[in-house]
Amino acid sequence: MASASLGGLRIGEVGVQAAANGHAAHCLAGSTTLGSRVRFALRSPLGSGWNGRPMIEGKGAFADRGTVAATDAGRALLHELFRRSRVRADCVGCSGAGVQGMRIAERAEALLDGFVIGDPTVAVARDMQRVQRNLRAATAYPLSLPKLRVLSASVMQHCDPKDGATDGIVSDPSRCDFDIRSLACTAGTDGANCLTTIEQVAAALIYSGPRNSAGEAVAPGLPLTGSEDCGGFCDGRIDGFKRFAEDWPWWFLGGPTSNLDVLAAPAALLNGRALGVAVYDQYARDLGWAGASFMQTCDFFRLFLVPGMQHCEGGRALDDFDAVDALVRWVENKEVPNTLRARSRWNSAFPGRECNLCPYPEVSTYVGSGSVDSPASLRCTLPGG
């Protein structure tokens, strides 16, 4: 590999990475392309055991040209190594890397065969307004972690049963009609299990979202999820990125409310650009579930909301699901992913539980009998169905 002559592609360090953390031993090559302005790493199997499917993992770099150049260079390297005439490639990323995937899907969709896009913050300027609004609200009107736990538990108690089962997950936050005022402390008092007027104001501001001087909404507020007190995994541990300690819940900071993972089949998302704006900018909130603009994309697009999940993982949620395998079967075998089987990756509150994530606009609903830990006890239905 190090001696390969591939035009402007420069290969730096090459070495074998030993098997570790569930990953098989593999070759790691650090490379540059586009006049050494774009750096990338290629991890490839040893020997002839490759399945012929490179996975482009987003890293949050939004420059379209860099992603295109790295993808083309990586394919050239793989062809040199394995002599495959056909190299399929899919893009996978979450958060900033999800934005990267979305931009490529919109602007260079022919480059890749499919996309798994998770929790993209597409409208960054607007979302940062919400973050700053929430931080100011939480500073001006303090709402402590113990009181957040009171709020979160009350939301869960009120809205968890709305899907027919009390199972510790609010399956459809859009149906949650919890009234913060029901937690009001007696005038002039401050109890452990109630909210003072100031604390109610803080919660109301964060739920309602920022508005301009005319009172018009600038960004949607945060949903009623029952995970308001989560600092990542809801059990006192910080999240996998070691950013949010227990006393700074994601809800406080105003992270993306979408909690979504997206499967996009190999078709031009340019055809669905209006949809992309509607879903990502309004978090599926202002998009009528029977809207023609959404339904027209169902031949190449699936949106899965993950109830209770924090940003990309964690939360009171079943956050472990294989969207990549579902995408491969969709791209290569035309098997449309009508559900995604999910388990709990981090939260110990749901041992052994499995469920099927539903494609938007469908939501998970209890059938009326059987264990809530079994997918057979739940079905995907349209809201109100």
Side-chain angles (χ1 to χ4, degrees):
M1 181 187 286
S3 63
S5 177
L6 296 169
L9 176 62
R10 293 187 177 183
I11 303 173
E13 296 183 5
V14 178
V16 173
Q17 299 291 299
N21 299 323
H23 300 291
H26 60 276
C27 177
L28 173 62
S31 310
T32 64
T33 187
L34 209 63
S36 297
R37 286 173 289 175
V38 175
R39 295 182 298 170
F40 70 97
L42 174 70
R43 298 179 185 270
S44 58
L46 301 175
S48 59
W50 183 44
N51 61 15
R53 303 185 189 103
M55 184 175 74
I56 314 303
E57 183 180 9
K59 288 298 182 184
F62 299 159
D64 302 337
R65 191 180 180 195
T67 304
V68 171
T71 300
D72 286 340
R75 277 177 155 165
L77 270 176
L78 290 169
H79 177 74
E80 183 75 16
L81 281 171
F82 296 98
R83 300 296 180 182
R84 297 287 184 102
S85 59
R86 175 70 171 98
V87 175
R88 294 184 181 274
D90 300 316
C91 180
V92 179
C94 196
S95 193
V99 178
Q100 182 180 1
M102 189 64 200
R103 291 180 186 267
I104 295 301
E106 289 181 324
R107 301 174 185 179
E109 73 282 349
L111 179 68
L112 299 164
D113 293 281
F115 303 83
V116 174
I117 299 170
D119 286 23
T121 305
V122 177
V124 177
R126 185 212 61 197
D127 286 340
M128 289 305 102
Q129 291 184 59
R130 182 174 58 221
V131 170
Q132 292 304 314
R133 156 73 174 269
N134 290 357
L135 287 175
R136 287 196 300 270
T139 301
Y141 309 104
L143 184 60
S144 66
L145 181 60
K147 290 300 186 77
L148 266 181
R149 286 177 171 154
V150 171
L151 175 62
S152 184
S154 299
V155 170
M156 182 67 71
Q157 181 180 20
H158 183 80
C159 296
D160 180 13
K162 288 185 176 294
D163 62 358
T166 302
D167 58 1
I169 294 177
V170 177
S171 295
D172 185 7
S174 67
R175 296 171 58 193
C176 185
D177 57 357
F178 177 73
D179 188 346
I180 302 171
R181 293 171 297 182
S182 66
L183 288 174
C185 296
T186 303
T189 66
D190 182 5
N193 296 312
C194 63
L195 299 184
T196 65
T197 300
I198 292 298
E199 291 165 342
Q200 292 176 68
V201 169
L205 286 172
I206 293 175
Y207 281 134
S208 63
R211 296 179 178 273
N212 62 20
S213 58
E216 300 166 333
V218 175
L222 300 189
L224 293 149
T225 66
S227 291
E228 282 79 355
D229 61 332
C230 285
F233 298 141
C234 305
D235 61 0
R237 292 177 294 155
I238 55 179
D239 72 4
F241 298 105
K242 296 181 172 61
R243 292 175 300 189
F244 305 111
E246 184 184 25
D247 56 344
W248 281 104
W250 186 252
W251 185 78
F252 244 29
L253 296 181
T257 64
S258 54
N259 294 336
L260 59 84
D261 274 74
V262 171
L263 291 179
L269 277 185
L270 288 171
N271 295 333
R273 180 166 297 202
L275 162 80
V277 172
V279 171
Y280 295 124
D281 285 5
Q282 301 301 322
Y283 299 103
R285 192 172 289 195
D286 295 336
L287 183 68
W289 61 263
S293 62
F294 184 86
M295 304 309 290
Q296 288 170 356
T297 68
C298 289
D299 59 339
F300 65 87
F301 181 89
R302 287 292 186 276
L303 169 65
F304 292 89
L305 301 181
V306 187
M309 189 173 77
Q310 297 294 315
H311 190 56
C312 294
E313 63 176 352
R316 291 189 178 87
L318 303 182
D319 61 340
D320 183 11
F321 45 89
D322 192 346
V324 175
D325 181 64
L327 178 67
V328 168
R329 288 186 279 110
W330 193 6
V331 169
E332 299 183 12
N333 302 328
K334 311 303 180 187
E335 298 178 20
V336 179
N338 291 317
T339 58
L340 289 180
R341 182 61 58 88
R343 304 167 184 81
S344 178
R345 178 179 301 163
W346 300 111
N347 200 310
S348 59
F350 311 115
R353 179 181 298 184
E354 294 186 357
C355 80
N356 289 326
L357 300 179
C358 301
Y360 181 85
E362 296 180 359
V363 294
S364 179
T365 305
Y366 185 57
V367 298
S369 61
S371 170
V372 295
D373 294 331
S374 171
S377 303
L378 304 165
R379 61 189 177 98
C380 294
T381 63
L382 292 173

